[in-house]
Amino acid sequence: MDSKSAAQSGLHWFEKFDVGVIHLDAQRNVVALNDYARAVLPVKDKMPFNKLVTTFHPERSKPKVKFLLDEAEGCPMSSAVPMTMIINIPEQVLLIKVSRLADEHGATTGFILVFYDVTQSVSPEQSSNPTLPHEPTSKVGGRNSMRLSRIPMVANQKVSFVDAEDVLSLESQGHYTRVLTREGYHFCNLSIGDLELRLDPERFLRVHRCFIVNLRAVRELGRDGTKTHVVLKGPATPHVPVSRGVLSRLKGALGLG
């Protein structure tokens, strides 16, 4: 596929998504929503008008949305680029963009928050038939979660994807995650807890509070005194610590138990 065809294909992919639009005032309170946002967000339950936009979001997502707004507010209008982030909500993965609004003097008058539901683009069914409705493949904590076949990332305000099968390990970085592949590290806006819920448990196992490993990428188990670590396939890959409480489960998953 040449670059022109690839661009057209990407545009076609992007045009398939409905867009949610939320208008915020300068204090970040919700002023107005478009119809799609009303349909997707819990408007009747939350009654968000004249309330902070974070009313919409789970606790783990609130710091991310605040960060987006802080970054947008601090960006000069002369070089303003919409801030972009991926967040995880029950049953959906959303791509969010935030842009600041300003008056003739450059003073902030509000924000526009735009979101796209990209769940289909990162779930396994998308590769076989993008028109099929998606059924939840797991239920954790009483809520449905879509499996991820690709992990979405944002870098330099661009969205990219890494195939889950190419991932060696995932490392928690607070509210975010470092994703290790044979090509190196990538940055994912989703937390390691979000990814644990979405990834296939037959392939991925959380071996430590801060680490998930791809079981097919495990080369061997190593020992350092009383501590166990995972040695991954690939050149110069770091050792991944294994919590004692997970060790027997890990051995069983690797056929060693």
Side-chain angles (χ1 to χ4, degrees):
M1 181 181 294
D2 58 30
S3 58
K4 183 177 180 181
S5 297
Q8 291 174 339
S9 175
L11 180 61
H12 174 69
W13 176 84
F14 189 73
E15 287 176 341
K16 291 188 298 182
F17 295 104
D18 289 317
V19 57
V21 180
I22 304 172
H23 179 200
L24 312 178
D25 63 19
Q27 288 71 47
R28 307 179 183 186
N29 297 313
V30 176
V31 175
L33 307 169
N34 75 338
D35 289 341
Y36 182 71
R38 287 174 181 269
V40 171
L41 300 174
V43 174
K44 292 183 179 179
D45 294 334
K46 299 293 185 179
M47 299 299 292
F49 295 100
N50 300 312
K51 296 180 182 178
L52 286 174
V53 66
T54 48
T55 302
F56 285 136
H57 302 92
E59 286 298 322
R60 66 183 181 280
S61 297
K62 290 181 180 180
K64 297 181 181 181
V65 178
K66 181 180 182 301
F67 172 78
L68 272 182
L69 290 164
D70 288 344
E71 290 292 300
E73 187 166 17
C75 186
M77 291 302 294
S78 59
S79 58
V81 175
M83 300 293 109
T84 306
M85 185 172 287
I86 301 285
I87 69 167
N88 180 49
I89 64 174
E91 300 186 41
Q92 293 169 294
V93 178
L94 302 182
L95 167 64
I96 294 181
K97 289 179 175 285
V98 176
S99 185
R100 179 168 73 98
L101 302 175
D103 62 18
E104 59 182 322
H105 304 293
T108 300
T109 59
F111 303 86
I112 293 296
L113 187 154
V114 176
F115 68 86
Y116 301 88
D117 183 349
V118 298
T119 309
Q120 290 187 347
S121 67
V122 295
S123 61
E125 293 89 344
Q126 175 68 13
S127 59
S128 59
N129 190 338
T131 64
L132 289 177
H134 298 296
E135 296 296 330
T137 56
S138 69
K139 198 162 191 174
V140 181
R143 73 177 190 180
N144 296 322
S145 294
M146 292 288 183
R147 292 279 178 245
L148 293 181
S149 61
R150 297 192 293 170
I151 295 176
M153 297 169 297
V154 175
N156 299 319
Q157 304 305 316
K158 295 181 180 179
V159 181
S160 59
F161 301 90
V162 168
D163 289 338
E165 63 186 23
D166 295 332
V167 172
L168 303 178
S169 67
L170 302 103
E171 178 184 356
S172 175
Q173 298 281 298
H175 296 292
Y176 312 104
T177 304
R178 283 207 309 172
V179 181
L180 178 63
T181 68
R182 293 180 184 274
E183 287 69 43
Y185 285 102
H186 309 267
F187 178 80
C188 178
N189 292 131
L190 298 177
S191 71
I192 197 168
D194 288 333
L195 291 169
E196 182 183 17
L197 290 176
R198 302 278 189 181
L199 291 169
D200 184 355
E202 297 297 320
R203 175 176 292 190
F204 292 90
L205 179 65
R206 191 164 184 174
V207 297
H208 184 273
R209 178 174 59 86
C210 296
F211 290 93
I212 294 174
V213 297
N214 184 340
L215 295 170
R216 298 181 187 180
V218 175
R219 188 172 69 193
E220 61 184 69
L221 297 182
R223 298 281 293 181
D224 183 11
T226 61
K227 299 180 179 180
T228 303
H229 60 260
V230 166
V231 180
L232 298 168
K233 299 175 183 178
T237 53
H239 291 173
V240 177
V242 179
S243 298
R244 291 183 181 180
V246 185
L247 182 56
S248 60
R249 184 180 170 194
L250 174 61
K251 287 182 175 181
L254 296 174
L256 302 175

